[in-house]
Amino acid sequence: MWDTRYGADGYAYGAEPNDHLVQQVDQIPSGRVLCLAEGEGRNAVFLAKRGYDVTAVDQSAIGLDKAQGLATASGVTISTRQADLANFEIEPGAWQGIVSIWAHVPPAIRVPLHRKVVAGLAPGGVFVLEAYTERQLEMPGRGGPPAAQRELLMSLTSLEQELEGLDFVIGREIDRTVEEGEFHSGPSAVVQILARKQ
């Protein structure tokens, strides 16, 4: 699916960074940042422009090729890793920031992944997440997994459990308008996290 989506002309979710990441970027200490399920690279390139040493991970080689193209066009450098998040290992204590924007994966993958996120952050490191909640299924906006895959949607309650060991600076479920390319548009129900490791 993702190779097909990213193989089309243009950028499926636009070339501009996610709003929540833009609002929280100053909370990420300088250094290394890992972007999970990064797709075509819009958030990774934004972070690289801010001076971070960015590694973008995605299962789609086509998406990562476009990410490298976007980085080159923007005059910055990013590293890319093609990997399935089900078996991707996050280097412990190595990251000043980890970013998860719309990384909707099944709980069997998400729960151990989030444990790796907690372990992967250096002291003072920050985790930034935005995901759709189950209420998205009732919203008029476009985006997120369909009802048949509702287990991919997230909640603040489950994230607080999965990210035990981090201090939540922001943890909220809100309605907001999302405008990110063809596939994310309109009124949406999301969960937003900014959490720090002591």
Side-chain angles (χ1 to χ4, degrees):
M1 168 191 165
W2 295 111
D3 280 349
T4 300
R5 180 163 292 184
Y6 296 147
D9 291 340
Y11 292 90
Y13 301 98
E16 297 301 316
N18 169 264
D19 291 346
H20 176 56
L21 176 60
V22 171
Q23 292 163 5
Q24 308 309 329
V25 65
D26 289 339
Q27 300 296 318
I28 304 174
S30 60
R32 301 176 71 203
V33 178
L34 177 65
C35 294
L36 303 173
E38 175 54 17
E40 297 168 307
R42 62 198 177 94
N43 297 312
V45 168
F46 165 72
L47 289 162
K49 286 179 178 179
R50 297 292 296 254
Y52 293 99
D53 177 3
V54 184
T55 298
V57 178
D58 201 272
Q59 65 183 2
S60 171
I62 291 173
L64 292 176
D65 283 346
K66 290 176 80 171
Q68 286 288 7
L70 184 60
T72 299
S74 302
V76 296
T77 300
I78 62 172
S79 298
T80 55
R81 289 274 307 277
Q82 184 184 6
D84 188 326
L85 293 179
N87 49 41
F88 178 67
E89 295 301 324
I90 298 176
E91 185 182 351
W95 302 94
Q96 280 66 51
I98 300 178
V99 174
S100 174
I101 303 297
W102 318 123
H104 292 95
V105 293
I109 297 173
R110 187 182 73 237
V111 173
L113 176 66
H114 283 166
R115 299 314 306 156
K116 293 176 190 176
V117 165
V118 174
L121 288 170
V126 166
F127 182 50
V128 180
L129 174 145
E130 183 163 41
Y132 289 106
T133 68
E134 249 188 76
R135 265 190 22 83
Q136 177 67 9
L137 300 175
E138 306 165 12
M139 298 294 280
R142 183 176 188 189
Q149 295 178 298
R150 66 175 60 237
E151 74 277 5
L152 304 185
L153 299 162
M154 300 186 209
S155 71
L156 179 58
T157 299
S158 63
L159 288 168
E160 286 173 336
Q161 296 170 350
E162 294 167 20
L163 298 168
E164 184 179 356
L166 301 184
D167 293 336
F168 278 55
V169 180
I170 295 172
R172 60 194 176 203
E173 293 186 11
I174 62 169
D175 294 348
R176 78 176 190 92
T177 299
V178 177
E179 295 297 342
E180 297 179 342
E182 179 184 353
F183 294 98
H184 287 167
S185 64
S188 304
V190 304
V191 56
Q192 297 180 332
I193 302 296
L194 174 70
R196 181 174 289 113
K197 188 171 183 178
Q198 293 302 315

